[in-house]
Amino acid sequence: MTSPTLTVMINAARKAARGLQRDFGEVENLQVSLKGPADFVTKTDQRAESILQGELTKARPGFGFLMEEGGAVAGRDGEHCWLIDPIDGTTNFIHGIPHFAISIALERSGTVIAGVIYNPLSNDLFTTERGRGAYLNDRRLRVAARRNLSEAVVGCGIPHLGRGDQALFARELARLQPKVAGVRRFGSAALDLAWVAAGRLDGYWERGLKPWDIGAGILMVREAGGRAEDIASGDPLVTGDVLAGNDEIFQALQGEIVAA
Ligand code: IPD
């Protein structure tokens, strides 16, 4: 049974998704222009965010927001806060790569209690609520059972121009590369975590993320029986560094990454 809160989140995501679907088609035309679709996509992003904010406010008027575009908006209720990323995977969107998602998480007193990650092109709808499991459409999710790094396909984020500690990432990758069955960089942290929850990826790590990128995904992995935590020992929503997998893969990856 989908709870009223999750229903509100799903409806908001589906409504915002319509604009993303339409504009993604347009991006393919803009791709050839010298300026590219970046400005156009900024507007798409803002429009989607304002639909999400409007729908969620209509249903839960007192709640606050932390949004990728609009920043923090305090709510009257002081307890609940929506974490919103209207397009997680913006670089993919701009480049016409069909892999991005809307991510919505709901925090209560600083703890994420519900999450929705929706890929509007594949129609993959990932949902979760604290204590009630994680789902892809109607299917209950469980993290992959592989225990050895040698069998594991691991997702990651690669710091690029102007972003993150590139030398550190290079050391981490150099340690892991010879030990795992494959490394992937798909370009949407929310979907990377949802894919760990779904057992498509055995593990995932990335540094320097924002709460709206990972709030929903972290709960999704935990509710699918996995671990999603800071790479060291902090709170990933504060440090922005996240590592995910089942317990064995989590520990094995952590050992390598921390030693890099
Ligand atoms: C980005 C994606 C990407 C990650 C970047 C994020 P955005 O989010 O999650 O996978 O590597 O660090 O910024 O900017 O597209 O919402």
Side-chain angles (χ1 to χ4, degrees), residues 100-118:
F100 54 88
I102 292 169
S103 179
I104 309 173
L106 177 60
E107 266 186 350
R108 187 173 61 212
S109 307
T111 300
V112 175
I113 56 165
V116 165
I117 297 170
Y118 181 47

Side-chain angles (χ1 to χ4, degrees), residues 45 68-69 85-92 101 156-160 163 185-192 204 206-210 212-214:
D45 227 332
E68 186 182 29
E69 302 299 321
D85 193 346
I87 309 179
D88 184 67
T90 318
T91 304
N92 282 346
C156 66
I158 304 178
H160 47 83
R163 291 280 287 268
R185 198 302 189 231
F186 290 118
S188 161
L191 286 174
D192 288 331
Y204 163 71
E206 183 161 359
R207 294 181 185 273
L209 294 161
K210 302 292 185 200
W212 51 78
D213 296 320
I214 55 177

